[in-house]
Amino acid sequence: MNAIEIKGLVKKYDEKFQLGKLDLTVPKGVIVGLIGENGAGKTTLLKAILNIIQTDEGTIKINGRDNHEEKTKENIGVVLDNMFFPELLTAKDIELAMRGIAKNWDTELYYNYLKEFSLPLDKPLKALSKGMRKKLEIATALSHHPDILILDEATSGLDPIIRNEILDIFLNFIQDENHTIILSTHITSDLEHVADKIVFIDQGKIVLDKDRDELIDHYGILKCDPDKMDQVKKEDYVCYKKNKYDVEFLVADREKIRKKYRDFIVDKMTLEELMLLMIKGVK
Amino acid sequence: MKGLIVKDLLLIKENIKQLVLFVLVFVFIGLQGNQILVFVPAFLSMMMFLSTFSYDDYNKWNSYAVTLPNGRKNIVKAKYIASIFLSLVAILLTYLLVILFGVANHNLNLEETTATLLGCWSAIVLLQSIMYPLIFKLGIEKGRIFLLVLVFGISALIGLLFQNIKVSLSSEVIHFLDNYLLIILPLLMMIILYISYKVSAKIVQKKEF
């Protein structure tokens, strides 16, 4: 059974923006990274999965059940961007409330996380730094033993050290092969470390859905002078982008292209370069 | 749902402490002469509870809450139960103190206090019943403005109606109301509250957060 299965999902907002139609399957035991520009539809997709917004078409299944079934929510831990308990409350207050909200709430586990993350018990949320708040949100999400974690921009605005700590928490969580994580971010370097699968959303549509290893090991960038760009055949690249002094082609099979175009440079590519090329590039 | 009620009460725990103080002060003032003032603490409790909606809105709590098990149902239920609980506590506390002081001072006027507090509770329930669906639909900021317009509108309308139409209640009706108002009023309010709850639940069930 897949952790999440989305079929034919459509969410219409207005003439300018529509999410979908899209299909997405997330198997158990993986970390899926959602990337895309601001406003591309990442948060909308996550909100649709969580049933925060209503969808117009399509079905979303979580652990094989329709996402409207309340029971599905018992298995999901959520960290959203700027949506959490009112900031007058303290970590202790949140524990008292969650005890009466989540069925599988584990007080001991929660307090262990607080200790591990060095979070204060009696300070209101508004007195915590951004990093501490995020860690508290993650601790809350993890303390009712979910098997799916859904995180929207959980690492954005945080320094590299805290980001690294948080990514370690995720890697720890995913040790259990029944556990799954979907995280959206525009800090693509984070995903290069942890994600198994990369899903790229642009203007409400999934434009790329691939294993990270395939992207990192096989995709590449071919660079050449603008006056030589005609030599690169159309079937050999995904898209290209003209810069001031060179042209960059995104290629799907780096080694093959390297052998074919021996005069040009063919390099490995980062997810950030991939994102830039796919959004700014021409097909 | 219990957790959501706990969350709301924790949010205003400082205010609840102040509320006890208000009850003491107003019962004391009330018993000096103007007994009608004993309704003030209960009204304050209603206003205090309203602030939980503002805190929720500010941190987009509802978006988070709907991702929790039975979230949509429970955010509505919890608001109704917590606020009724709070106003009942305020009213019962006031009632108790009035009786205590009254007995001590030998000037207990139970009938008037009962009528005042019951009237007050009914007014609170009526206001909450109109307010909550509006807040769930429009958010606390717009809901508040809408409520003001509504309350003034209705008051003005009733005022105008009664000015132009002479209402003559027969002595039987007055007699009936005199005897049974204490039973009819709470029952009527419960029905209104229930309808209001159902409307709010329906609004939240479909709402996008």
Side-chain angles (χ1 to χ4, degrees):
Chain A
M1 189 168 41
N2 289 313
I4 295 173
E5 246 180 71
I6 301 174
K7 279 195 184 124
L9 174 71
V10 176
K11 169 68 186 169
K12 288 174 191 146
Y13 273 105
D14 48 41
E15 310 255 302
K16 274 189 206 146
F17 184 75
Q18 168 178 338
L19 180 75
K21 192 173 227 176
L22 61 83
D23 301 300
L24 179 67
T25 305
V26 179
K28 284 192 175 179
V30 299
I31 300 184
V32 176
L34 277 182
I35 58 173
E37 280 179 288
N38 291 333
K42 304 186 294 283
T43 301
T44 308
L45 176 59
L46 296 181
K47 278 184 163 181
I49 294 173
L50 290 168
N51 196 13
I52 296 175
I53 53 171
Q54 318 279 346
T55 52
D56 295 306
E57 284 171 38
T59 56
I60 300 172
K61 281 194 171 156
I62 294 168
N63 290 331
R65 290 166 184 265
D66 188 275
N67 73 331
H68 289 86
E69 282 182 45
E70 291 296 333
K71 218 170 161 39
T72 57
K73 293 179 180 168
E74 283 168 17
N75 302 321
I76 302 180
V78 178
V79 177
L80 297 167
D81 198 18
N82 289 324
M83 296 167 193
F84 195 50
F85 278 86
E87 60 187 14
L88 286 183
L89 298 180
T90 63
K92 212 171 168 181
D93 293 337
I94 289 172
E95 199 282 322
L96 288 172
M98 285 307 288
R99 214 190 277 180
I101 295 173
K103 214 169 154 192
N104 305 323
W105 181 255
D106 187 338
T107 300
E108 206 186 319
L109 182 65
Y110 178 74
Y111 279 123
N112 282 344
Y113 277 125
L114 295 194
K115 216 170 173 187
E116 194 187 324
F117 302 159
S118 320
L119 294 169
L121 272 177
D122 290 317
K123 270 195 186 169
L125 291 179
K126 63 177 173 186
L128 301 182
S129 70
K130 210 171 170 185
M132 284 170 128
R133 259 166 108 143
K134 269 292 157 225
K135 283 190 202 165
L136 180 59
E137 288 175 31
I138 292 167
T140 310
L142 288 173
S143 296
H144 66 101
H145 300 286
D147 48 38
I148 300 174
L149 262 190
I150 295 183
L151 310 130
D152 192 14
E153 305 287 358
T155 54
S156 64
L158 304 180
D159 66 56
I161 295 156
I162 291 184
R163 259 170 37 219
N164 223 324
E165 281 175 37
I166 289 178
L167 294 179
D168 277 343
I169 301 168
F170 296 163
L171 287 174
N172 222 343
F173 176 79
I174 210 78
Q175 291 294 317
D176 186 327
E177 57 190 25
N178 274 319
H179 286 180
T180 308
I181 298 180
I182 299 192
L183 65 129
S184 85
T185 180
H186 45 246
I187 307 175
T188 48
S189 59
D190 285 353
L191 296 179
E192 275 159 31
H193 295 126
V194 300
D196 301 298
K197 210 171 135 118
I198 305 287
V199 174
F200 184 0
I201 297 190
D202 191 30
Q203 292 176 12
K205 298 228 159 43
I206 292 179
V207 289
L208 189 104
D209 176 359
K210 292 234 183 297
D211 288 346
R212 177 201 56 180
D213 289 346
E214 190 189 333
L215 283 176
I216 303 291
D217 294 347
H218 298 299
Y219 273 58
I221 293 181
L222 180 150
K223 290 179 185 165
C224 68
D225 289 339
D227 53 338
K228 289 180 183 157
M229 68 177 284
D230 293 338
Q231 295 177 23
V232 184
K233 293 206 175 79
K234 201 165 170 32
E235 68 262 23
D236 290 333
Y237 64 83
V238 181
C239 58
Y240 69 89
K241 181 169 150 282
K242 277 188 195 171
N243 301 321
K244 206 166 179 186
Y245 302 109
D246 65 358
V247 184
E248 292 176 318
F249 291 90
L250 179 69
V251 297
D253 191 339
R254 198 165 65 222
E255 288 312 315
K256 198 180 110 192
I257 298 299
R258 195 173 272 160
K259 278 174 199 151
K260 192 167 171 185
Y261 298 93
R262 287 181 186 275
D263 297 341
F264 297 141
I265 304 164
V266 182
D267 279 336
K268 276 189 170 182
M269 139 223 93
T270 61
L271 287 176
E272 192 171 318
E273 288 169 319
L274 172 91
M275 213 169 120
L276 262 172
L277 268 168
M278 292 207 47
I279 291 171
K280 295 281 180 193
V282 189
K283 288 209 169 166
Chain B
M1 182 198 56
K2 212 174 74 200
L4 296 176
I5 297 175
V6 169
K7 173 223 131 223
D8 276 342
L9 295 180
L10 283 170
L11 262 179
I12 50 170
K13 63 177 176 224
E14 290 306 314
N15 301 26
I16 291 175
K17 285 180 202 157
Q18 294 162 10
L19 188 63
V20 177
L21 192 75
F22 279 127
V23 172
L24 276 168
V25 170
F26 278 95
V27 167
F28 187 71
I29 297 173
L31 289 178
Q32 297 303 309
N34 202 349
Q35 224 194 18
I36 202 149
L37 280 179
V38 296
F39 81 87
V40 175
F43 255 89
L44 287 174
S45 79
M46 182 188 79
M47 303 305 287
M48 280 171 188
F49 191 79
L50 270 187
S51 63
T52 65
F53 285 94
S54 306
Y55 296 135
D56 288 354
D57 267 19
Y58 187 70
N59 290 100
K60 296 192 192 157
W61 156 253
N62 283 338
S63 309
Y64 186 78
V66 297
T67 70
L68 301 168
N70 286 312
R72 282 180 192 265
K73 236 188 233 164
N74 287 342
I75 46 181
V76 179
K77 238 191 224 169
K79 283 288 181 208
Y80 277 82
I81 292 178
S83 57
I84 292 167
F85 171 75
L86 194 65
S87 59
L88 275 181
V89 166
I91 281 185
L92 290 178
L93 197 63
T94 310
Y95 202 55
L96 198 74
L97 280 174
V98 168
I99 293 174
L100 275 178
F101 279 123
V103 170
N105 293 336
H106 304 290
N107 61 350
L108 182 63
N109 185 349
L110 205 54
E111 212 168 299
E112 194 185 322
T113 308
T114 309
T116 308
L117 289 180
L118 190 71
C120 164
W121 184 72
S122 306
I124 290 173
V125 170
L126 186 66
L127 275 173
Q128 285 172 337
S129 300
I130 303 172
M131 240 178 332
Y132 289 1
L134 283 173
I135 295 174
F136 280 122
K137 178 88 192 166
L138 305 167
I140 179 82
E141 290 308 323
K142 276 189 218 155
R144 229 183 240 154
I145 297 166
F146 209 78
L147 178 79
L148 272 179
V149 174
L150 206 73
V151 166
F152 280 113
I154 291 175
S155 316
L157 201 72
I158 291 176
L160 276 174
L161 271 177
F162 276 87
Q163 222 169 33
N164 295 323
I165 306 163
K166 270 211 169 136
V167 187
S168 56
L169 294 174
S170 69
S171 61
E172 279 127 42
V173 174
I174 290 175
H175 188 70
F176 177 80
L177 283 177
D178 225 19
N179 284 335
Y180 296 104
L181 194 64
L182 287 188
I183 303 163
I184 295 171
L185 203 57
L187 275 178
L188 185 70
M189 287 308 140
M190 305 261 239
I191 295 170
I192 292 177
L193 194 67
Y194 181 73
I195 295 171
S196 161
Y197 163 72
K198 282 283 172 195
V199 173
S200 294
K202 193 140 208 186
I203 290 170
V204 171
Q205 203 57 43
K206 293 231 167 104
K207 186 165 174 169
E208 306 210 320
F209 289 95

